Amino acid sequence: MRKNWWKILAIVMISISIIAGLLGPVPELPILNETIRNVYFHVPMWFAMLLLYLISVIYSIKYLNTGNTRYDFIAVEAVNTGILFCGLGLLTGMLWGNITWGDPWPNDPKLNSSAISTLMYLAYLVLRNAIDEEQKRGKISAIYNIFAFPIMIVLLYILPRMTDSLHPGNGGNSNFGDLDMDNYMRPVFYTAVIGWMLFGTWIGTIRYRIRLLENNMSLNK
Amino acid sequence: MNVFQQVKTLVYKEIILEWRSKYALNSILLYVVSTVFVCFQAFKSVDSVIWNVLFWIILLFTAINAMSRSFLQESSNRQMYYYTIVSPQAVILSKIIYNTLIMLIISLIAFVVYSVIFKNPIGDLPFYFLAVVLGSISFANVFTMISGISAKAGNSSSIMAILSFPVIIPLLIVLIKFSKNAMAGLERSESFAEIGVLLAINIVTIAISLLLFPYLWRD
């Protein structure tokens, strides 16, 4: 219980955000209407993804400093889980875009750069498969991971703000947070964000433990 | 020897090696010129947007071809020898400087050949020139580190492409926007944000390369 409280907290927070998000009142805005509820589901995915990639970079740095294989496992499983959340974020975004923009994938800088940053992390996984030797694999992929992270930040959070974009919060469009979210929505939104971040970390730790077990089993054979 | 002297010596060594064979530079120059001709034969004439984008794509592939070799020519024995006498920072810095020089030469020649063959009016020539110079420096910075990584990963050419394309795309987007502004002859202050981002990406890339290369190098 002492170690698991945050997992229960994650479940509780996500449940609260789903129930309050689907049933609670939202401001009536033109075009958006009820789709503003997507902010409870779409945005937290990206927060969770960013947290997981951040964890991955931190453990890559730790791996380079110590050479401990466990850190490498944490880094790779964080990326794996991050890619899952990135996919969910793209899906929920496309669902929303289909209704408000009339097109699931308009040619928009924010969308394209999120797809490109996914390519970067897929390249990280391909790079891992290309190297057989375990220590070399850990080291080289950690180096690429650290190298890619600041570029991902530029891609997702700086470039779309410089150009015209349909996406809220970019290219002169206001954030939902500034204008449209009223005082009821805000706490639900933050609950959802923290809940999904904890949930993502939980999935990551489970995947890490499975990988650790598999590794031990193949060593004992 | 301090790091700067080491860098100077290593760059000098690279230039001498290149000058003796002239293989890399000549083959890359031939590659650029023939690509430009292929594009010219295919397109005949293009409008200004495509002109700009085509130039950057030609430059991108040339850069990948030129830079992917930069760590392969060093045998592991020679790397071991460097390891005993110079610091890793000096090695990566010398590679970056040498690659920047090569990229500048290549892109300037490519620019001249390209604009002679494909005639197209450029509104603000000095500023377009600045875009080309900044672009070749950025390509050299990013590709040097990536080619180091892919050289360690064994089978180079496909890994190089997979690793470098996602990383280079943000640079390419900014460069295309910047050079498009220069082509249209817009007010120069319109492009300051792009120049800022380019410089920032370059500084970050060099800093990360300097920090990470010692780990990459040690085998």
Side-chain angles (χ1 to χ4, degrees):
Chain A
M1 193 64 200
R2 205 154 35 84
K3 279 183 179 170
N4 289 332
W5 61 271
W6 59 278
K7 295 172 186 171
I8 298 166
L9 186 68
I11 297 289
V12 170
M13 287 177 110
I14 290 175
S15 316
I16 290 175
S17 75
I18 289 175
I19 294 167
L22 291 180
L23 297 180
V26 287
E28 268 182 44
L29 298 166
I31 307 175
L32 278 176
N33 298 323
E34 294 287 323
T35 65
I36 196 173
R37 293 180 198 279
N38 196 34
V39 85
Y40 300 137
F41 303 100
H42 171 67
V43 185
M45 298 299 155
W46 297 106
F47 274 96
M49 180 204 79
L50 203 64
L51 177 74
L52 285 160
Y53 286 168
L54 191 67
I55 291 173
S56 166
V57 169
I58 290 169
Y59 278 93
S60 284
I61 294 170
K62 274 185 150 178
Y63 177 76
L64 283 185
N65 279 330
T66 60
N68 189 345
T69 331
R70 291 181 169 217
Y71 293 151
D72 184 42
F73 289 164
I74 296 179
V76 67
E77 288 306 344
V79 166
N80 274 333
T81 321
I83 287 175
L84 172 74
F85 275 92
C86 178
L88 289 175
L90 285 178
L91 275 180
T92 47
M94 279 158 78
L95 207 63
W96 182 80
N98 200 19
I99 293 162
T100 44
W101 299 331
D103 189 356
W105 198 278
N107 185 14
D108 189 76
K110 184 89 171 179
L111 277 68
N112 291 332
S113 44
S114 57
I116 294 162
S117 72
T118 316
L119 286 186
M120 206 148 63
Y121 282 93
L122 291 176
Y124 166 79
L125 296 178
V126 170
L127 177 67
R128 289 188 69 88
N129 293 336
I131 308 168
D132 288 328
E133 202 184 317
E134 216 169 87
Q135 287 199 322
K136 202 175 172 186
R137 172 171 61 201
K139 202 168 67 181
I140 292 172
S141 58
I143 289 168
Y144 183 70
N145 194 13
I146 300 168
F147 193 74
F149 187 74
I151 307 227
M152 191 266 293
I153 297 293
V154 171
L155 206 52
L156 278 185
Y157 299 98
I158 298 175
L159 281 189
R161 282 180 169 71
M162 286 174 60
T163 44
D164 301 322
S165 173
L166 296 167
H167 194 280
N170 293 298
N173 284 355
S174 70
N175 248 328
F176 277 139
D178 304 335
L179 271 183
D180 308 329
M181 256 199 255
D182 58 14
N183 284 333
Y184 173 77
M185 283 187 75
R186 222 175 285 268
V188 179
F189 172 67
Y190 290 130
T191 315
V193 167
I194 295 169
W196 284 107
M197 278 164 116
L198 290 175
F199 197 63
T201 320
W202 187 10
I203 297 176
T205 53
I206 290 173
R207 294 193 59 119
Y208 158 67
R209 283 153 70 185
I210 291 173
R211 183 174 276 248
L212 209 58
L213 285 177
E214 278 171 356
N215 190 50
N216 288 343
M217 256 154 59
S218 63
L219 283 180
N220 290 335
K221 242 174 223 166
Chain B
M1 276 205 290
N2 63 14
V3 175
F4 286 101
Q5 274 174 318
Q6 291 175 357
V7 170
K8 224 165 76 184
T9 319
L10 283 171
V11 172
Y12 184 62
K13 177 221 82 179
E14 297 270 0
I15 293 172
I16 289 204
L17 271 185
E18 181 53 47
W19 190 252
R20 277 195 196 140
S21 67
K22 298 191 191 67
Y23 162 72
L25 195 62
N26 283 345
S27 63
I28 288 297
L29 285 180
L30 210 58
Y31 179 89
V32 180
V33 175
S34 47
T35 315
V36 171
F37 264 103
V38 168
C39 291
F40 178 60
Q41 291 300 321
F43 282 100
K44 299 290 184 202
S45 74
V46 291
D47 63 14
S48 58
V49 175
I50 298 177
W51 188 88
N52 186 25
V53 174
L54 197 60
F55 177 65
W56 285 110
I57 288 176
I58 290 173
L59 219 53
L60 171 71
F61 279 92
T62 317
I64 285 191
N65 268 313
M67 303 293 128
S68 61
R69 258 204 296 275
S70 59
F71 281 91
L72 285 182
Q73 52 175 332
E74 315 270 12
S75 65
S76 59
N77 293 338
R78 207 196 286 173
Q79 293 228 343
M80 193 77 113
Y81 177 56
Y82 292 152
Y83 191 60
T84 57
I85 55 171
V86 292
S87 72
Q89 277 87 5
V91 174
I92 186 75
L93 216 55
S94 69
K95 290 276 184 201
I96 288 177
I97 292 172
Y98 171 72
N99 278 341
T100 310
L101 286 177
I102 288 279
M103 245 348 263
L104 281 174
I105 296 171
I106 291 171
S107 57
L108 293 186
I109 291 176
F111 181 59
V112 170
V113 173
Y114 189 67
S115 48
V116 166
I117 292 176
F118 276 108
K119 279 160 238 36
N120 203 44
I122 295 176
D124 192 345
L125 193 59
F127 230 47
Y128 197 90
F129 207 65
L130 179 68
V132 174
V133 168
L134 271 178
S136 40
I137 293 172
S138 327
F139 282 169
N141 280 338
V142 173
F143 285 145
T144 306
M145 190 62 193
I146 298 279
S147 80
I149 294 174
S150 73
K152 289 280 177 193
N155 52 347
S156 256
S157 59
S158 66
I159 284 283
M160 176 82 186
I162 293 171
L163 295 184
S164 57
F165 276 141
V167 178
I168 205 71
I169 284 174
L171 272 172
L172 208 59
I173 293 171
V174 177
L175 279 171
I176 286 176
K177 190 146 179 273
F178 176 24
S179 53
K180 207 167 86 183
N181 287 354
M183 245 178 110
L186 293 184
E187 208 45 51
R188 287 191 176 177
S189 55
E190 296 261 319
S191 313
F192 285 165
E194 275 81 22
I195 297 177
V197 170
L198 277 179
L199 289 179
I201 295 180
N202 275 315
I203 290 167
V204 170
T205 325
I206 292 177
I208 298 177
S209 303
L210 284 178
L211 284 177
L212 292 182
F213 190 69
Y215 294 103
L216 186 67
W217 201 30
R218 210 183 298 149
D219 229 358

